[in-house]
């Protein structure tokens, strides 16, 4: 089974930064469109950042614009999400996802567009 592997849980102080990595197991990250989502309790899953197969197009949600970056490391075959200046509103379960098909700006943040997910990483922002 091909899957994205994520770590378990993070605790981050307000104003700090976090970097979540998603090592790809069994596939090459550059062959897929990839995205990071998050879901807070009682809320819908929210798309945060996206990169297409060639990393030519990237999208960033307004909620994290200027604070979040998606990084692809071809040498290590990993996908990372970096968020700076976190606040308690950033507390959620974070997921990386992938799809064989590139997305446009209308659908990149639709969770139904992605074929593979992993169990997610819980992030709590608290002092």
């Amino acid at each position: 089974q091909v899957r994205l592997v994520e770590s378990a849980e993070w605790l981050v102080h307000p104003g700090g930064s976090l970097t979540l990595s998603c090592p790809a197991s069994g596939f090459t990250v550059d062959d897929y469109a990839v995205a990071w989502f998050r879901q807070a309790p009682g809320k819908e899953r929210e798309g945060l950042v996206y990169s297409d197969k060639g990393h030519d197009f990237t999208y960033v949600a307004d909620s994290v614009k200027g604070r979040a970056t998606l990084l692809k490391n071809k040498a290590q075959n990993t996908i990372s999400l970096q968020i700076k200046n976190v606040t308690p509103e950033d507390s959620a379960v974070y997921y990386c996802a992938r799809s064989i098909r590139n997305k446009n700006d209308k659908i990149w943040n639709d969770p139904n567009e992605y074929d593979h997910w992993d169990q997610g990483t819980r992030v709590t922002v608290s002092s």
Side-chain angles (χ1 to χ4, degrees), residues 9 15-18 20 25 27 36 40 44 47 54-55 60 68 75 86 91 95-96 100 104 112 115 119 122-123 127:
E9 192 162 347
S17 299
L18 65 90
L20 303 177
S25 176
F27 70 95
W36 283 89
E44 293 186 352
H55 208 63
V60 182
V86 298
S91 298
Y95 301 90
C96 58
I100 195 67
N104 61 33
N112 295 316
D115 308 304
Q119 68 271 21
R122 183 174 300 280
V123 173
S127 55

Side-chain angles (χ1 to χ4, degrees), residues 53-118:
K53 292 182 190 182
H55 208 63
D56 294 323
F57 292 96
T58 60
Y59 301 118
V60 182
D62 289 341
S63 61
V64 292
K65 191 159 290 184
R67 299 192 300 126
T69 305
L70 185 152
L71 302 170
K72 280 186 181 180
N73 187 319
K74 297 179 185 180
Q76 298 181 355
N77 204 37
T78 58
I79 308 160
S80 299
L81 169 68
Q82 183 179 75
I83 302 182
K84 304 175 184 178
N85 299 321
V86 298
T87 72
E89 286 67 39
D90 291 314
S91 298
V93 178
Y94 285 71
Y95 301 90
C96 58
R98 64 181 175 94
S99 171
I100 195 67
R101 294 175 295 277
N102 283 338
K103 315 300 176 189
N104 61 33
D105 60 346
K106 302 291 189 299
I107 63 173
W108 71 268
N109 56 353
D110 181 350
N112 295 316
E113 290 290 327
Y114 296 86
D115 308 304
H116 297 276
W117 299 78
D118 212 333

Side-chain angles (χ1 to χ4, degrees), residues 42-56:
K43 295 188 177 182
E44 293 186 352
R45 193 163 294 191
E46 173 191 18
L48 300 176
V49 292
Y50 164 89
S51 174
D52 69 4
K53 292 182 190 182
H55 208 63
D56 294 323

